[in-house]
Amino acid sequence: KAGAGNLTFDRAQYFTGTLSVMNGTVTLNSGAANTILAAPTATAVTTVTANINGTFNLNGNNQVVNGLSSANFTPGGGGT
């Protein structure tokens, strides 16, 4: 995701590859755990990368991912 604003997943979505949040926010808003599902042909769940100006908002839910990384080097500002 690039640019300001919010990309919202309101229901479960099949996804494969890497979800990169360069700017703005990606919000999981389905009200359930694991909104982003591994595509049936995928061998692993998505890898999420949040960069300095990007936010991956779980919205109080759990999400299983293959890997999580952050380029936000501000203490307390990300990477967890």
Side-chain angles (χ1 to χ4, degrees), residues 51-52 54-55 70 72-80:
N51 289 307
I52 293 172
T55 302
S70 173
N72 187 339
F73 299 108
T74 304
T80 59

Side-chain angles (χ1 to χ4, degrees), residues 1-9 19-28 48-59 68-72 77-79:
K1 184 201 174 305
N6 193 33
L7 172 62
T8 302
F9 290 89
L19 174 61
S20 295
V21 187
M22 305 297 288
N23 289 301
T25 302
V26 171
T27 300
L28 304 184
V48 176
T49 303
N51 289 307
I52 293 172
N53 295 314
T55 302
F56 185 56
N57 180 2
L58 297 176
N59 207 21
L68 177 65
S69 64
S70 173
N72 187 339

Side-chain angles (χ1 to χ4, degrees), residues 7-17 19 26-40 42 44-46 48 56 63-65:
L7 172 62
T8 302
F9 290 89
D10 287 327
R11 59 186 172 89
Q13 300 287 318
Y14 284 111
F15 196 89
T16 184
L19 174 61
V26 171
T27 300
L28 304 184
N29 199 38
S30 72
N34 299 314
T35 299
I36 300 174
L37 305 169
V45 178
T46 303
V48 176
F56 185 56
Q63 176 64 53
V64 174
V65 295

